[in-house]
């Protein structure tokens, strides 16, 4: 990107998506301007289907946690998204992974399956959350 060129930042999103939400939060905390485009997951736009979330200047960045790290690295001077202490950083990453792989994944299985599979998912769900 050369000096004077206008930055283009587009977030292809779904309002209720916790994955989109975490990226929106990161951008908002850092005070970054971006264009929000609501997607219909049952009828995805060619941009989402063919190019996969062109977050920054036409270059695609996929996966919400990777997008968040990218945002943090692109705009390091405002509102760090991860703690500077390595141990504290490891704890943040642990919980992000927990939310994706335990909380969301078992929740998805609870609402998208039936019968035995659903019962197993209910049992696997983190308790007390
Ligand atoms: N690991 C992905 C998960 C994204 C995801 O599962 N999104 C939900 C919507 S909240 C979905 O159903 N995606 C299916 C799709 O995009 O077709 C991320 O962190 O970006």
């Amino acid at each position: 990107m050369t000096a004077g060129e206008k930055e283009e930042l587009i977030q292809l999103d779904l309002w209720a998506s916790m994955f989109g939400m975490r990226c929106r939060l990161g951008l908002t905390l850092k005070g970054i301007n971006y264009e929000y485009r609501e997607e219909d997951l049952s009828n995805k736009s060619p941009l989402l289907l063919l190019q996969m979330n062109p977050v920054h200047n036409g270059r695609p960045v996929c996966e919400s946690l990777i997008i968040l790290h990218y945002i943090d690295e692109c705009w390091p001077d405002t509102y760090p998204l991860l703690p500077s202490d390595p141990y504290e950083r490891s704890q943040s990453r642990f919980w992000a992974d927990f939310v994706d792989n335990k909380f969301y994944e078992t929740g998805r299985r609870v609402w998208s399956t039936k019968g035995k599979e659903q019962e197993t998912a209910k049992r696997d769900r983190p308790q007390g959350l």
Side-chain angles (χ1 to χ4, degrees), residues 102 106 109 117-127:
K102 293 271 187 269
T106 49
R109 279 164 45 215
E117 208 180 333
Q118 189 182 52
E119 290 312 309
T120 308
K122 280 182 187 168
R123 215 188 41 236
D124 291 349
R125 208 170 33 165
Q127 305 300 308

Side-chain angles (χ1 to χ4, degrees), residues 7-10 47 51-61:
E7 291 219 53
E8 183 190 48
L9 189 58
I10 305 169
L47 205 55
Q51 295 176 19
M52 296 296 284
N53 232 344
V55 168
H56 201 196
N57 298 322
R59 292 194 300 177
V61 184

Side-chain angles (χ1 to χ4, degrees), residues 64-111:
S64 60
L65 284 180
I66 292 170
I67 293 171
L68 267 187
H69 290 151
Y70 178 78
I71 291 168
D72 216 15
E73 285 169 3
C74 280
W75 293 279
D77 300 331
T78 50
Y79 205 101
L81 298 177
L82 284 172
S84 57
D85 176 71
Y87 179 76
E88 294 299 322
R89 242 185 353 251
S90 79
Q91 298 308 289
S92 298
R93 290 182 170 131
F94 170 85
W95 285 112
D97 181 78
F98 178 87
V99 165
D100 283 7
N101 296 311
K102 293 271 187 269
F103 181 74
Y104 176 78
E105 192 41 41
T106 49
R108 189 191 60 71
R109 279 164 45 215
V110 168
W111 80 67

Side-chain angles (χ1 to χ4, degrees), residues 13-14 16-20 22-23 41-42 44 48 52-53 62-67 100-101 104-105 108 111:
D13 209 334
L14 175 72
S17 166
M18 62 174 227
F19 302 105
R22 65 165 48 138
C23 297
L41 288 189
S42 60
K44 293 179 184 169
L48 186 62
M52 296 296 284
N53 232 344
C62 303
E63 281 293 322
S64 60
L65 284 180
I66 292 170
I67 293 171
D100 283 7
N101 296 311
Y104 176 78
E105 192 41 41
R108 189 191 60 71
W111 80 67

Side-chain angles (χ1 to χ4, degrees), residues 10-29:
I10 305 169
Q11 168 133 340
L12 302 173
D13 209 334
L14 175 72
W15 70 270
S17 166
M18 62 174 227
F19 302 105
M21 231 173 263
R22 65 165 48 138
C23 297
R24 267 177 270 150
L25 259 175
L27 290 166
T28 302
L29 288 170

